[in-house]
Amino acid sequence: MKERKNKELSSKDLSELVAKGMIEKKGLDIAILDLRKVKNSITDFFVICSGNSDTQIDALANSVEDEVYKMSKTEPWQKEGKANGEWILIDYVDVVAHIFNKDRRKHYDLEELWGDAEVTYLEDSMV
């Protein structure tokens, strides 16, 4: 089992830093899925947002990494999807950020797939 290096930061706090990075670049429909009580969950939190273009999706991913690093000196364990621009995944072990283009997000529908999770939607007005 992979463990995050920075243990002073709770997974909840880390999920909020990820969301803050998404807010900085005007991520759409930001959702935080709390998976801590979901049986067989692979992580504590998913933080999901959408972007309107490949450029925005890339900017969102960079903003998430910058915000998390600036506040906690935590680097992602793994990153995927930067090349195709439809879905970027940034894995911080117990928090996973998903940055989708709108159509891909509807297609994969993670909120429905992880329906047992407690979901918090951040209001667009916060952005």
Side-chain angles (χ1 to χ4, degrees):
M1 183 59 121
K2 181 72 181 153
E3 284 194 25
R4 189 164 39 93
K5 289 183 179 92
N6 182 343
K7 286 295 187 185
E8 294 92 65
L9 190 68
S10 74
S11 58
K12 181 163 181 28
D13 290 343
L14 180 55
S15 73
E16 289 166 1
L17 284 179
V18 168
K20 188 170 184 232
M22 292 172 174
I23 290 167
E24 291 288 317
K25 294 299 177 190
K26 308 217 181 316
L28 305 170
D29 304 318
I30 300 170
I32 300 175
L33 280 65
D34 186 342
L35 302 164
R36 291 176 294 184
K37 294 178 184 158
V38 177
K39 193 172 171 50
N40 300 325
S41 170
I42 51 171
T43 189
D44 288 352
F45 291 90
F46 279 168
V47 185
I48 305 169
C49 79
S50 303
N52 285 319
S53 66
D54 291 357
T55 307
Q56 185 187 17
I57 290 166
D58 207 42
L60 284 159
N62 291 335
S63 180
V64 165
E65 288 187 60
D66 292 348
E67 189 65 35
V68 170
Y69 189 78
K70 180 173 71 180
M71 301 306 288
S72 71
K73 302 294 182 252
T74 302
E75 296 274 0
W77 174 56
Q78 212 171 330
K79 295 183 278 196
E80 293 179 28
K82 271 238 188 240
N84 71 22
E86 292 188 343
W87 177 7
I88 296 176
L89 182 146
I90 307 170
D91 187 345
Y92 289 99
V93 183
D94 40 6
V95 176
V96 179
H98 297 272
I99 302 165
F100 284 101
N101 107 349
K102 280 182 173 174
D103 295 337
R104 284 286 120 206
R105 181 167 177 179
K106 281 188 200 111
H107 177 77
Y108 287 103
D109 200 2
L110 293 182
E111 289 101 321
E112 184 64 34
L113 189 64
W114 291 92
D116 293 346
E118 187 178 309
V119 183
T120 305
Y121 289 98
L122 303 186
E123 295 298 319
D124 287 339
S125 60
M126 291 176 64
V127 179

